[in-house]
Amino acid sequence: MRLARVFSRTSKEIPKDAQISSHRLMFRAGMIQQLSSGIYSYLPLALRSIRKIEKIIREELDARGYEEILMPAVIPANLWQETDRWNLYGDLLLRFKDRKGNDYCMGPTHEEVITDVVRRNLRSWKQLPICLYQIQGKFRDEFRPRFGLMRGREFIMKDAYSFDADEKSAKVSYQRMYEAYTAIFSRCGVRIRVVDANTGEIGGDLSHEFQVLASSGEDILLICDYCEYAANIEKAETHKPSVVVEDFKPLEAVATPGQKSIEEVSSFLGVPPKCFLKCLIYETDNRLIAVLIPGDRKVNEIKLRTAVEARELRLASNSIVEESVGTQPGYVGPLGLPDGIQLLADYSVQAGSNWVCGANSDDKHNLNVNFGRDFEVDNLADVTFAVAGDLCPKCRKGKLEEARGVEVGQVFYLGDKYSKLMKCTFLDKNGDLQPALMGCYGIGVGRTLAATVEQSHDEFGIIWPVSLAPWEVVILPLQLSNSFLLETAESMYKELGEAGIEVVLDDRNERAGFKFKDADLIGYPIQVILGPHSVSAGMAEIKFRASGERVEMVFNEVVDSVSAWILDRRHGDFVR
Ligand code: ATP
Ligand code: MG
């Protein structure tokens, strides 16, 4: 391709909302254009890279026996009502009506549609496993679209689904997809950390996220510095401490007038927050629950919801607390809570002693409150967020360290959640009707592209892994008026093209500095530089974008050595 004729232009401008490097660079390189909040046009350079990611995905999934399909983006409400996600999915779901007043949504994910597709065909165990995927635009009405393609509202996703006859083979399907993802991201040249993850509203009980480590990532990860344990902070377990019973001191009540928050009472009494018990009242679908955690911890509401098996959960308002406990939220404690409020404590509460906590009476706290001696609980569970510095819950030797990541893919084992609700069943070997066991697996195609740029760039621009580069080589003739130089550039352009290399000729009548800047910004892995001095000596200069290394080379070696270098890396290389 000749740059004098291309449509997109690079730009020095940076959009005001472009907070992270990948967004800035993809905009400046002329790859993406925003149409509306979180809605983008993919310009030619971006689309070429996107197609490469899609090709890698197709090759890896096809090789594992997956068949590609394409489901509609517009989904009738009744399918989503079968699983109740029409109500549960919330504002992310873009709902609308057709001219007859029927409800529809734009598909944010396709568990319902695929389950419908499969249930219409599935009869016998002999048809299983069924493995299908699609690559398609999804729509989620994100609360905060940002970071360019990282968090859009309309975005391209690869979603795959597996259906199996029993749990053992369903877990094999899950594992095979896990391996496919590892291969896919490695071929994309992006470094990944796999972490344990929550299943969220999709459901099921086993899930992993594929995270690109990046300081700008929205996800917080906790990674053991000793073993392989790594988890999203939403999921990371806290290490269950052994119960240490220290000398119980006598229970004592103290006046704490006007001191409500842990910080206030802590400085008032001169006791550190970790010696406090926070007692928070939550409202669930049909009851109130008091949750006890150490004063220096935070409640992980996802864990709490699972522990109490509630569909919905929220912190009770001040007025509900005052009405039900008879005191303001800051003075709530485990001693003498009214009947009917379930009391749940985090495991760590059992392991501490002589706690300070609210006395269920305004302006009063209790000192030396002890689990077992002064109060009992209805349940013990892991309901707090793990934090950096915690002992690893798996090896119990290492410490957890915090890192940030961009979730580019996630795999879920769903079990029979959708198949049961939607009656996607088959006759097993004994002739009994069984729901199929499902897995679902997503990759954000655009997000993978943006995360690659986030991981691999410098102050001059993008540094593409060869496998995702929109073009592999750029030829930079620096003096168009020099006919020998131009002819040399043209013949290298032709020969590299014939050798199957994706090559661009910068035939724009621009200064050398301008061409260099653009080449670095767009990030072609190799620049073939033809300047008047070297050309007159029969030499070209080769610049490798990733290392910055420059090599002088005689003309007739250029095509062979550039092609060899590119072909060596096309199947996946890590540049950073
Ligand atoms: P997030 O937690 O980032 O909102 P998610 O966990 O809800 O994402 P999934 O339902 O797991 O997303 O979707 C599969 C993949 O689709 C994600 O791993 C991610 O790569 C991609 N993806 C999800 N939401 C977006 C978005 N708003 N913009 C771009 N890609 C997205
Ligand atoms: Mg996810």
Side-chain angles (χ1 to χ4, degrees):
M1 195 198 46
R2 292 162 188 276
L3 285 193
R5 299 198 42 78
V6 301
F7 165 72
S8 330
R9 291 278 169 268
T10 57
S11 149
K12 287 194 178 127
E13 222 182 283
I14 299 173
K16 277 203 279 312
D17 64 339
Q19 303 161 34
I20 60 171
S21 306
S22 55
H23 188 185
R24 286 196 285 268
L25 290 172
M26 289 174 77
F27 175 84
R28 286 193 47 220
M31 299 183 77
I32 52 171
Q33 211 175 63
Q34 184 175 316
L35 176 63
S36 171
S37 171
I39 302 181
Y40 286 85
S41 298
Y42 306 97
L43 301 185
L45 291 177
L47 192 61
R48 287 185 66 91
S49 293
I50 294 241
R51 293 286 182 248
K52 290 188 177 187
I53 299 176
E54 293 175 349
K55 181 166 183 278
I56 292 171
I57 292 174
R58 288 193 168 98
E59 287 173 4
E60 293 299 328
L61 296 190
D62 293 351
R64 288 170 175 81
Y66 273 75
E67 289 179 273
E68 185 170 357
I69 60 171
L70 185 58
M71 291 179 271
V74 173
I75 306 176
N78 61 317
L79 269 190
W80 276 62
Q81 280 154 351
E82 286 189 45
T83 58
D84 203 24
R85 283 212 295 181
W86 183 255
N87 297 315
L88 294 177
Y89 209 81
D91 291 339
L92 278 180
L93 194 64
L94 184 66
R95 303 163 172 89
F96 55 95
K97 287 186 192 295
D98 69 4
R99 65 173 78 208
K100 293 181 182 148
N102 300 315
D103 286 313
Y104 286 86
C105 66
M106 292 298 296
T109 176
H110 278 65
E111 286 74 23
E112 283 81 357
V113 183
I114 194 80
T115 307
D116 181 63
V117 167
V118 170
R119 72 180 168 186
R120 291 167 190 242
N121 288 278
L122 182 58
R123 298 285 169 269
S124 150
W125 63 274
K126 290 181 197 146
Q127 292 166 271
L128 298 171
I130 291 172
C131 301
L132 299 167
Y133 75 99
Q134 65 169 349
I135 299 178
Q136 183 196 41
K138 297 277 191 267
F139 195 96
R140 293 184 184 177
D141 201 357
E142 295 278 354
F143 172 62
R144 253 186 106 186
R146 55 185 184 153
F147 301 156
L149 299 189
M150 289 261 195
R151 184 169 296 284
R153 292 198 295 162
E154 182 177 327
F155 57 94
I156 303 171
M157 196 204 285
K158 181 289 299 173
D159 43 327
Y161 305 87
S162 61
F163 294 77
D164 277 273
D166 57 48
E167 187 169 334
K168 192 162 160 239
S169 61
K171 295 263 164 93
V172 170
S173 293
Y174 180 92
Q175 189 56 32
R176 276 163 61 80
M177 190 55 97
Y178 186 112
E179 282 156 22
Y181 273 37
T182 308
I184 288 166
F185 291 119
S186 151
R187 284 185 59 189
C188 288
V190 66
R191 285 190 196 285
I192 291 289
R193 182 80 207 214
V194 187
V195 302
D196 291 357
N198 265 317
T199 51
E201 49 56 52
I202 285 193
D205 59 5
L206 169 68
S207 179
H208 289 92
E209 286 168 351
F210 289 69
Q211 296 270 356
V212 172
L213 297 186
S215 56
S216 58
E218 291 185 282
D219 288 10
I220 300 176
L221 317 175
L222 291 171
I223 299 174
C224 177
D225 64 5
Y226 187 78
C227 74
E228 76 293 350
Y229 181 79
N232 192 308
I233 195 165
E234 293 175 348
K235 170 80 178 181
E237 293 159 37
T238 54
H239 136 83
K240 196 172 163 184
S242 41
V243 180
V244 194
V245 182
E246 276 185 21
D247 291 346
F248 288 167
K249 296 186 187 151
L251 185 66
E252 204 182 311
V254 285
T256 48
Q259 316 291 317
K260 281 191 241 169
S261 68
I262 298 269
E263 293 69 36
E264 285 166 350
V265 191
S266 159
S267 65
F268 183 79
L269 295 175
V271 177
K274 66 172 190 205
C275 300
F276 280 74
L277 275 186
K278 249 192 261 189
C279 187
L280 301 159
I281 306 286
Y282 276 89
E283 262 185 286
T284 69
D285 315 320
N286 51 11
R287 64 206 147 124
L288 293 179
I289 299 176
V291 178
L292 278 183
I293 60 166
D296 60 347
R297 295 273 160 170
K298 287 195 175 126
V299 171
N300 178 332
E301 292 183 0
I302 301 171
K303 288 183 181 176
L304 179 59
R305 208 168 57 204
T306 314
V308 301
E309 294 174 2
R311 260 163 59 134
E312 288 196 48
L313 184 96
R314 65 203 155 270
L315 213 47
S317 64
N318 289 2
S319 58
I320 289 188
V321 174
E322 282 171 45
E323 209 174 283
S324 56
V325 188
T327 185
Q328 298 170 53
Y331 301 107
V332 176
L335 271 62
L337 270 180
D339 288 347
I341 301 184
Q342 181 185 342
L343 184 58
L344 180 148
D346 186 69
Y347 287 126
S348 53
V349 171
Q350 208 184 3
S353 55
N354 300 320
W355 298 100
V356 180
C357 59
N360 290 330
S361 165
D362 284 359
D363 300 333
K364 266 203 199 117
H365 277 77
N366 284 325
L367 304 183
N368 306 326
V369 175
N370 284 295
F371 179 85
R373 183 190 72 179
D374 305 319
F375 69 95
E376 297 286 348
V377 297
D378 300 304
N379 315 71
L380 279 162
D382 170 14
V383 292
T384 55
F385 278 107
V387 295
D390 278 0
L391 205 57
C392 170
K394 184 159 188 204
C395 69
R396 292 166 180 263
K397 285 193 184 124
K399 289 239 163 77
L400 297 181
E401 288 177 346
E402 190 175 301
R404 291 207 160 245
V406 176
E407 177 206 318
V408 287
Q410 187 165 7
V411 291
F412 300 84
Y413 172 61
L414 298 172
D416 63 6
K417 174 176 166 170
Y418 294 87
S419 47
K420 225 173 169 171
L421 289 169
M422 296 184 64
K423 300 196 173 53
C424 177
T425 52
F426 66 94
L427 289 175
D428 70 11
K429 283 183 185 162
N430 305 319
D432 294 329
L433 207 57
Q434 302 283 356
L437 297 180
M438 293 171 58
C440 77
Y441 318 96
I443 289 181
V445 176
R447 191 183 279 183
T448 299
L449 187 69
T452 306
V453 176
E454 198 60 36
Q455 189 172 75
S456 184
H457 68 269
D458 61 14
E459 69 264 46
F460 305 110
I462 302 169
I463 302 176
W464 289 110
V466 172
S467 57
L468 298 195
W471 295 93
E472 294 164 336
V473 176
V474 63
I475 300 176
L476 302 172
L478 301 183
Q479 197 179 49
L480 297 191
S481 55
N482 180 334
S483 58
F484 175 60
L485 188 152
L486 199 56
E487 273 164 31
T488 308
E490 287 283 354
S491 77
M492 282 181 189
Y493 173 62
K494 187 162 166 278
E495 283 176 46
L496 279 169
E498 283 166 1
I501 300 303
E502 298 175 6
V503 58
V504 166
L505 179 65
D506 191 349
D507 54 351
R508 296 174 301 174
N509 198 4
E510 297 284 358
R511 284 173 299 106
F514 184 89
K515 292 186 176 185
F516 289 144
K517 278 212 172 95
D518 267 11
D520 280 350
L521 174 60
I522 290 171
Y524 309 96
I526 288 187
Q527 301 169 14
V528 178
I529 302 162
L530 297 168
H533 294 300
S534 51
V535 163
S536 61
M539 307 287 275
E541 194 185 5
I542 311 297
K543 179 180 162 187
F544 298 90
R545 177 68 179 91
S547 62
E549 190 192 348
R550 292 162 183 272
V551 184
E552 294 257 304
M553 207 175 273
V554 290
F555 290 158
N556 61 10
E557 282 178 9
V558 170
V559 171
D560 283 352
S561 65
V562 165
S563 314
W565 192 92
I566 293 288
L567 294 177
D568 249 11
R569 287 159 181 80
R570 211 180 248 172
H571 206 71
D573 63 328
F574 295 109
V575 287
R576 282 280 144 130

